């Protein structure tokens, strides 16, 4: 299969070859090991730092937040019961081999985090195994997935120019089938499927695991991996509350990074792992190329709201419970699976316009909406609700969204531009990965940028 991962790797190798040829003039020169400034202490930045640490290359990591791990954000809902949920990145896929390797290296356990989905549609509750797509659409979709392997690059570029909703309709998905695909697929991409490149969607479903990479989670919280990497490289090399405001690069050699707290750092190279919104806010001197700046403006991020609800009893009666709905809460899943306790947490996961609406309401409103949605299936659950928290990634100061979404024409249009190095700066982050929204992608791109150094 010619996957997106292979396509990216081939593109990177081609770029590396051009850089080597244009700078070496027929000779192979090994200079001093460079000092490196890494912007961002999320998984991309930490994996880049860990790579450089093993190569004994000097670096410093600058992080704007008051914590490491970026958009990986583990949160303890009940200290006594030790119930941990993820306010940010959640799943480790079966194909996420690099993340699994790092977990093994640091002695972290991966627990099964697969679910069997229930459905609420048009006011009716359908248990797992009691609902499905029509046989006609299941057969057609299987044909589309099988056909992905045979697509040429020209076919893929053409497919990238339409959205996923249009592609489904063009291939006979209508009525209830289309409604349910919209509900499920928008959960994956964080916005309506009318905003998602058909190529980005089809390739992800064709290349991912049976559960679409919703397979595992790190026991104790995904942030533990960030902490293990930070401990290994040394927290002294990570500067928290150091937001970057200006980057000055001398084409002849050397960089300066200026922070909002007036700290200044000098080095030879930069690895910038910040999300697109934060990259655009930096004052680059010399300025980013016009095409790259425009691409940063065009790339959108998913508006996702996570509302974890702690209940005194796991009334859903199944550890592998999740449920998609056609109501405002949109999607529920059991966030404390494999965490022994009579208590449990359901996360109400909303996307797009729904997320913006839900995030603006108070806890009383959220609790009432959850009760209204879950009532047909489970009766009065309000009396079991102990507490709730909320995090809306659409309002996040640094990312203004949860993860990147490539729209019509953007996978082959924007991504190559965003991946280009700028003088002494290499870029990384989940927005440049083969699939968006996964920790694996952040790690892959961070290590790839460090390898260039």
């Amino acid at each position: 299969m010619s996957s997106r991962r292979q396509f990216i790797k081939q593109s990177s190798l081609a770029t590396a070859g051009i850089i080597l040829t244009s700078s070496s003039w027929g000779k192979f020169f090994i200079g001093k090991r460079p000092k490196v400034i890494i912007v961002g202490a999320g998984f991309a930045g930490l994996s880049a730092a860990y790579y450089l640490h093993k190569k004994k290359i000097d670096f410093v990591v600058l992080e704007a937040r008051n914590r490491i791990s970026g958009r990986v954000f583990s949160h303890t809902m009940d200290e006594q019961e030790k119930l941990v949920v993820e306010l940010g990145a959640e799943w480790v896929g079966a194909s996420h081999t690099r993340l699994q390797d790092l977990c093994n290296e640091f002695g972290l356990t991966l627990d099964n985090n697969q679910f069997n989905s229930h459905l609420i549609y048009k006011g009716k509750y359908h248990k797992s195994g009691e609902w499905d797509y029509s046989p006609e659409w299941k057969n057609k979709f299987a044909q589309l997935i099988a056909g992905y392997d045979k697509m040429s690059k020209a076919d893929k570029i053409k497919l990238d120019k339409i959205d996923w909703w249009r592609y489904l309709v063009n291939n006979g998905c209508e009525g209830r089938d289309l409604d349910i695909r919209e509900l499920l697929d928008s959960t994956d991409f964080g916005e309506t499927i009318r905003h998602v490149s058909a190529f980005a969607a089809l390739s992800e479903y064709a290349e991912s695991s049976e559960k679409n990479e919703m397979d595992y989670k790190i026991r104790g919280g995904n942030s533990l991996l960030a902490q293990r990497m930070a401990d290994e490289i040394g927290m002294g090399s990570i500067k928290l509350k150091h937001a970057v405001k200006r980057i000055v690069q001398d084409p002849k050699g050397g960089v300066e990074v200026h922070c909002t707290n007036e700290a200044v750092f000098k080095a030879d190279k930069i690895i910038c792992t910040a999300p697109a919104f934060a990259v655009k806010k930096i004052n680059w001197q010399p300025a980013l190329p016009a095409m790259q700046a425009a691409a940063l403006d065009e790339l959108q991020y998913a508006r996702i709201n996570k509302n974890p609800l702690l209940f005194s009893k796991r009334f859903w009666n199944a550890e592998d419970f999740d449920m998609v709905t056609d109501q405002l809460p949109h999607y529920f899943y059991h966030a404390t699976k494999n965490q022994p306790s009579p208590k449990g947490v359901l996360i109400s996961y909303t996307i797009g316009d729904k997320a913006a609406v839900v995030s603006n309401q108070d806890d009383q409103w959220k609790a009432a909406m959850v009760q209204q949605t879950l009532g047909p299936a489970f009766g009065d659950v309000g009396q079991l609700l102990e507490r709730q928290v909320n995090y809306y990634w659409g309002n996040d100061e640094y990312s203004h969204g949860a993860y990147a979404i490539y729209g019509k024409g953007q996978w082959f249009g924007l991504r190559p531009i965003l991946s280009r190095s700028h003088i002494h700066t290499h870029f990384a982050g989940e927005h440049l990965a083969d699939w968006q929204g996964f920790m694996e992608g952040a790690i892959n791109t961070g290590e790839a940028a460090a390898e260039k150094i």
Side-chain angles (χ1 to χ4, degrees), residues 234-251:
M235 282 300 295
S237 299
I238 302 172
K239 309 299 181 184
L240 301 178
K241 299 182 181 179
H242 278 65
V244 173
K245 67 176 180 181
R246 183 158 59 101
I247 290 177
V248 182
Q249 302 187 86
D250 183 347

Side-chain angles (χ1 to χ4, degrees), residues 75-187:
H75 175 76
T76 300
M77 284 292 290
D78 190 306
E79 292 282 355
Q80 185 173 347
E81 297 293 318
K82 298 180 181 179
L83 297 178
V84 178
V85 301
E86 304 298 335
L87 297 179
E90 187 97 21
W91 282 278
V92 179
S95 73
H96 296 173
T97 55
R98 184 59 189 132
L99 194 152
Q100 292 177 46
D101 288 344
L102 286 171
C103 286
N104 289 332
E105 186 175 338
F106 289 112
L108 297 173
T109 300
L110 288 169
D111 288 324
N112 180 283
N113 203 39
Q114 295 178 338
F115 298 111
N116 287 307
S117 298
H118 301 234
L119 171 71
I120 290 180
Y121 177 67
K122 292 187 176 180
K124 294 184 178 180
Y125 170 53
H126 306 268
K127 293 182 179 180
S128 173
E130 296 178 356
W131 66 276
D132 205 342
Y133 296 108
S134 68
E136 294 79 12
W137 171 246
K138 285 181 68 176
N139 181 59
K140 178 62 177 179
F141 191 68
Q143 292 176 21
L144 296 175
I145 293 296
Y148 174 77
D149 234 359
K150 304 177 182 65
M151 293 179 69
S152 66
K153 184 176 179 181
D155 293 332
K156 294 175 180 179
I157 293 173
K158 182 178 179 180
L159 183 59
D160 187 41
K161 294 180 179 179
I162 65 172
D163 63 72
W164 183 232
W165 181 89
R166 178 64 62 184
Y167 177 80
L168 294 173
V169 172
N170 287 350
N171 283 280
C173 189
E174 291 285 1
R176 181 179 180 276
D177 289 328
L178 184 60
D179 287 347
I180 295 176
R181 279 231 72 101
E182 168 75 59
L183 291 173
L184 289 170
D185 296 355
S186 64
T187 305

Side-chain angles (χ1 to χ4, degrees), residues 38-42 61-70 238-245 259-261 273-275 278 281-282 396-399:
I38 300 172
V39 180
V61 182
L62 306 180
E63 171 55 52
R65 302 181 195 271
N66 62 359
R67 60 174 179 82
I68 61 171
S69 76
I238 302 172
K239 309 299 181 184
L240 301 178
K241 299 182 181 179
H242 278 65
V244 173
K245 67 176 180 181
C259 300
T260 55
N261 62 4
T273 71
K281 286 185 68 177
I282 295 171
D396 184 80
E397 180 181 0
Y398 305 105
S399 63

Side-chain angles (χ1 to χ4, degrees), residues 30-50:
I30 300 177
K32 67 183 180 69
R33 285 178 170 165
K35 287 184 176 180
V36 184
I37 297 170
I38 300 172
V39 180
F43 271 36
L46 291 174
S47 62
Y50 185 49

Side-chain angles (χ1 to χ4, degrees), residues 362-376:
D362 60 23
D363 284 354
Q364 184 178 0
W365 185 96
K366 293 186 183 79
M369 182 55 63
V370 166
Q371 172 59 55
Q372 180 179 323
T373 304
L374 295 178

